Amino acid sequence: MITDRDIVVKAIAKGRNPAEVPAGELAEGKPVTIGADDDATEILRTMGQHQVRRLPVIDGHDLVGMVALADVARALPDRPVGDLMDAISKG
């Protein structure tokens, strides 16, 4: 997955035109996903373990959506989300 931050840090900040930078140069690591049937606890665990704020949601081999930390924050009490923010920020 490529984020806006990847584009800024790996292309724009280096004076490169993002329209000319291959996606493979911007991406890094192994993709981390969450299953469509996984619950909020699993989403938080996966985000914390991999220190990411967004996860592609898959059903089998099909991409069915994206879940962001903000989505989870709106759905859960403050404590689990605060703990996740601490875990991500330490990475």
Side-chain angles (χ1 to χ4, degrees):
M1 184 163 60
I2 299 170
T3 66
D4 53 346
R5 184 177 187 284
D6 294 324
I7 295 168
V8 170
V9 171
K10 298 174 185 173
I12 295 171
K14 294 181 178 179
R16 298 178 69 191
N17 180 349
E20 296 173 358
V21 178
E25 287 185 31
L26 300 175
E28 64 181 53
K30 181 180 177 189
V32 178
T33 62
I34 197 78
D37 294 332
D38 290 336
D39 63 19
T41 302
E42 181 64 16
I43 294 169
L44 289 175
R45 186 194 67 73
T46 303
M47 285 180 168
Q49 179 180 355
H50 297 280
Q51 299 186 332
V52 297
R53 297 170 188 252
R54 295 175 202 89
L55 289 169
V57 180
I58 59 168
D59 187 3
H61 292 287
D62 297 328
L63 176 66
V64 295
M66 293 288 291
V67 65
L69 180 58
D71 300 324
V72 180
R74 284 191 290 273
L76 292 178
D78 293 342
R79 182 66 190 189
V81 176
D83 291 345
L84 173 62
M85 288 299 297
D86 288 343
I88 291 173
S89 297
K90 291 177 184 174

